[in-house]
Amino acid sequence: MALSHLNLLRPVLCRFLPSVVRSPLLTSSRVPSLPHTSCPALLPNYVRHYATKKSKAKAKGQTAKVNINAALVEDIISLEEVKEDMAAVLATLKEDFSRNLSIRTSPGALDHITVTTKDGKFPLNQLGQISMKSPQLLVVNMTGFPEAMAAVTRALQDSSMGLNPEVEGTIIRVPVPKVTREHRENLVKLAKQFSNKAKDSLRKVRTNAVARVKKSKEGVSEDTIHLIEKQIQQMADGYVADTDKQLATKTKELLG
């Protein structure tokens, strides 16, 4: 509507503007006189660009990232320690994936199993000598600690590997489950359990960190507290995303 009105006024402006441009006030301001033929160029056609629904949705989904200098808030909380705690959770997840979710048989596949005895808890490889007789059979020689036979057998049965050990004197035979489609899918389920456990641990780290920040409210502005909490949440979100990536990679590996 406005553009149509301007177009109607174009002839009037063309007659009026040359006399204005040649006035002493504008000339003294070093405004060059414009030829009468250039008048149409003084009224360009302006186009207003409107945001599309897609661009609006994209802008709405984006949140401003926070990047606080850790040294400036170390009196309130150590962001480096929070980061280290979250990194430790991710490292534990990778270790769990490596030890518990391998479809390849090796003597080291049983090393992580913890055995509870009357003298305390010990890794299986400290109580027995583990060897591989075939790709489908592992053997644990308990000659050195025969008194721990029952505890080792129970630990193997209670592991998340679906093992059914067979005892022969001081020797424990451990048949390795065949790598069937069902076995692979069970390993994927176990991977999800490890992943969810890691996310729970990340939430605990975040919750504890935020609680420490809130206890330091005295003498600290609300804006500063809010920014620190946002930084902690941002760190947690990053490690949760890394956890999802680890799960996706492991799932692809297990299903083949």
Coordinates of all heavy atoms in Angstrom, one line a residue, residues 33 63 89-90 102 107 125 141 156 162 182 194 225 228 245:
S33 N 23.7 19.0 -7.1 CA 22.4 19.1 -7.7 C 22.1 17.9 -8.6 O 23.1 17.3 -9.1 CB 22.3 20.4 -8.6 OG 23.3 20.3 -9.6
T63 N 20.1 -22.1 21.9 CA 20.3 -21.4 23.2 C 21.7 -20.9 23.2 O 22.7 -21.6 22.7 CB 20.0 -22.4 24.4 OG1 20.9 -23.5 24.2 CG2 18.6 -22.8 24.4
V89 N 33.2 -40.5 34.6 CA 32.0 -41.3 34.3 C 32.1 -41.8 32.9 O 31.8 -43.0 32.6 CB 30.7 -40.4 34.5 CG1 29.5 -41.2 34.0 CG2 30.6 -40.0 35.9
L90 N 32.4 -41.0 31.9 CA 32.6 -41.4 30.5 C 33.6 -42.5 30.4 O 33.5 -43.5 29.6 CB 32.8 -40.2 29.6 CG 32.8 -40.5 28.1 CD1 31.5 -41.0 27.7 CD2 33.2 -39.3 27.3
S102 N 32.4 -57.6 24.7 CA 33.2 -58.0 23.6 C 32.6 -59.3 23.1 O 32.3 -60.2 23.8 CB 34.6 -58.2 24.0 OG 35.4 -58.7 22.9
P107 N 41.5 -64.4 27.2 CA 41.7 -64.6 28.7 C 41.3 -63.4 29.5 O 40.8 -63.5 30.6 CB 43.1 -65.0 28.8 CG 43.5 -65.6 27.5 CD 42.7 -64.8 26.5
N125 N 41.6 -62.4 38.3 CA 43.0 -62.8 37.8 C 44.0 -62.8 38.9 O 45.1 -63.2 38.7 CB 43.4 -61.9 36.7 CG 43.4 -60.4 37.1 OD1 43.1 -60.1 38.2 ND2 43.8 -59.6 36.1
N141 N 42.4 -71.8 36.5 CA 43.2 -72.8 37.4 C 43.2 -72.2 38.8 O 43.9 -71.1 39.0 CB 44.6 -73.0 36.9 CG 45.3 -74.1 37.6 OD1 45.1 -74.4 38.8 ND2 46.2 -74.8 36.9
L156 N 31.4 -65.8 38.8 CA 31.2 -66.1 37.4 C 29.8 -66.2 37.0 O 29.3 -65.7 36.0 CB 32.0 -67.3 37.0 CG 33.5 -67.3 37.0 CD1 34.1 -68.7 36.9 CD2 34.0 -66.4 35.9
G162 N 26.5 -64.0 31.3 CA 25.7 -65.2 31.0 C 26.5 -66.4 31.0 O 26.4 -67.3 30.1
E182 N 20.7 -63.6 19.0 CA 20.1 -63.4 20.3 C 21.1 -62.9 21.3 O 20.9 -62.0 22.1 CB 19.4 -64.6 20.8 CG 18.7 -64.5 22.2 CD 18.1 -65.8 22.7 OE1 18.3 -66.8 22.0 OE2 17.5 -65.8 23.7
F194 N 24.4 -50.0 30.8 CA 25.6 -49.3 31.2 C 25.5 -47.8 30.8 O 25.9 -47.0 31.6 CB 26.8 -49.9 30.5 CG 27.3 -51.2 31.1 CD1 27.5 -52.3 30.3 CD2 27.6 -51.3 32.4 CE1 27.9 -53.5 30.8 CE2 28.1 -52.5 33.0 CZ 28.2 -53.6 32.2
I225 N 25.2 -16.8 39.8 CA 24.8 -18.1 40.2 C 24.1 -18.8 39.0 O 24.3 -19.9 38.7 CB 23.8 -18.0 41.4 CG1 24.5 -17.5 42.6 CG2 23.2 -19.4 41.6 CD1 25.6 -18.5 43.1
I228 N 26.6 -19.8 36.3 CA 27.4 -21.0 36.7 C 26.6 -22.3 36.6 O 27.0 -23.3 36.1 CB 27.9 -20.9 38.2 CG1 28.9 -19.7 38.3 CG2 28.6 -22.2 38.6 CD1 29.4 -19.4 39.7
K245 N 26.8 -41.2 21.9 CA 27.7 -41.6 20.8 C 28.4 -42.9 21.0 O 28.5 -43.7 20.1 CB 28.7 -40.4 20.5 CG 28.1 -39.2 20.0 CD 29.2 -38.1 19.8 CE 28.6 -36.8 19.3 NZ 29.7 -35.7 19.2

